[in-house]
Amino acid sequence: MPKKWLIILLIMIGLTGCHQLFQADNLQNFQSEGEAYLNQLGKKRPEDSADLMLYINGQPLDEVTVYLEKGQIYIPLTHILELMDFNIAEDDERIRAGFTDIIYEVKKGSAEAISEGEAINLSHEVATYNGQAYITTAALQELLGCEVRVNDQALMVNMEQKDADLPKDEDLSETDDKNQE
């Protein structure tokens, strides 16, 4: 008689374990299907988000929502470019920015970019959250060739250092005098 109870007990333990495995497998499938559905919609779940005040060349412009994922801060690329007064052309694959000519171009989901006519590889791919393109602060700095800093309250883009290499207004009167001789 004890063997019979032992066999029944082992069968019950086995069934309980199988039921728990089945439940865990169903939960994992549900989570995977949910993530796949969100990815189909172009929506990923960032780990964390925050609103920061955007400063361009020291001037406060607007609040922007930034995301933190895998230790990187992602910022909305088209929003930043628009606030910098660039004309934006965007399709499913690329974002182009400029005034009369294209100055910057990035490929969504890729690290491929063009900055002032030069092909470059960004340190991070351009990501898409909720249908909008996001770029890391490091990649934005590489793309624009400017200083980008972030703290707990603000995102600061300093384009002024980029113009520092341009010649300043010069007094051309001496040059004109020499050319007349």
Side-chain angles (χ1 to χ4, degrees), residues 61-147:
L61 293 181
D62 195 5
E63 279 193 350
V64 294
T65 300
V66 300
Y67 292 107
L68 177 66
E69 187 168 298
K70 297 178 184 171
Q72 295 296 322
I73 296 173
Y74 284 83
I75 55 179
L77 178 59
T78 52
H79 187 72
I80 299 294
L81 293 172
E82 286 170 352
L83 289 172
M84 296 173 77
D85 291 327
F86 285 107
N87 295 320
I88 309 295
E90 183 175 1
D91 58 33
D92 291 340
E93 295 179 12
R94 299 187 185 282
I95 298 172
R96 295 174 182 94
F99 299 109
T100 56
D101 294 332
I102 296 171
I103 299 173
Y104 305 109
E105 180 177 327
V106 296
K107 185 175 180 183
K108 294 178 183 178
S110 172
E112 295 175 23
I114 296 174
S115 177
E116 297 181 2
E118 298 287 325
I120 61 171
N121 282 317
L122 303 172
S123 57
H124 301 97
E125 292 182 357
V126 175
T128 302
Y129 298 118
N130 297 327
Q132 186 173 9
Y134 282 79
I135 191 168
T136 64
T137 54
L140 180 67
Q141 186 166 311
E142 296 162 356
L143 178 67
L144 301 179
C146 66
E147 179 183 20

